[in-house]
């Protein structure tokens, strides 16, 4: 069924496809972020995660999570 927006007719299927494309792009970004978080948490678990450049080794799990999310956020900003 066509949907009327103003004077223009828009096909619902086409609108749904466009929305799906946006969802695919968001999903791709989320996968990259998940990968980054996984790598950083692996560094934390193996004891090789440092706070800052050449800083002390991170031993607090909450700090490890905070660093992981921060790095994922940086990657997401660059991707946009």
């Amino acid at each position: 069924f066509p949907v009327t927006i103003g004077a223009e007719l828009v096909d619902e299927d086409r609108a749904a496809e466009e929305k799906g494309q946006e969802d695919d792009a968001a999903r791709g970004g989320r996968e990259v972020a998940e990968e980054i978080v996984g790598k950083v948490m692996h560094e934390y678990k193996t004891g090789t995660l440092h706070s800052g450049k050449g800083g002390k080794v991170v031993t607090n799990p909450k700090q490890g999570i905070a660093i992981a999310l921060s790095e994922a956020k940086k990657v997401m900003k660059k991707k946009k």
Side-chain angles (χ1 to χ4, degrees):
F1 298 94
V3 178
T4 305
I5 299 177
E8 183 179 321
L9 288 176
V10 178
D11 189 13
E12 284 184 14
D13 292 334
R14 192 176 76 208
E17 286 176 10
E18 290 172 1
K19 183 180 179 188
Q21 290 171 353
E22 292 173 15
D23 290 342
D24 288 343
R27 191 174 303 118
R30 186 176 64 224
E31 288 172 358
V32 171
E34 287 176 2
E35 184 178 325
I36 296 294
V37 170
K39 286 181 180 180
V40 173
M41 291 310 294
H42 179 74
E43 287 181 27
Y44 165 74
K45 289 177 185 176
T46 58
T48 59
L49 179 63
H50 295 270
S51 60
K53 205 169 193 178
K56 293 182 178 180
V57 175
V58 174
T59 57
N60 185 345
K62 288 184 179 180
Q63 189 177 6
I65 291 169
I67 292 170
L69 294 177
S70 175
E71 289 189 15
K73 186 176 176 181
K74 287 179 189 176
V75 170
M76 293 301 291
K77 278 188 175 181
K78 285 183 183 178
K79 193 164 184 163
K80 286 184 179 181

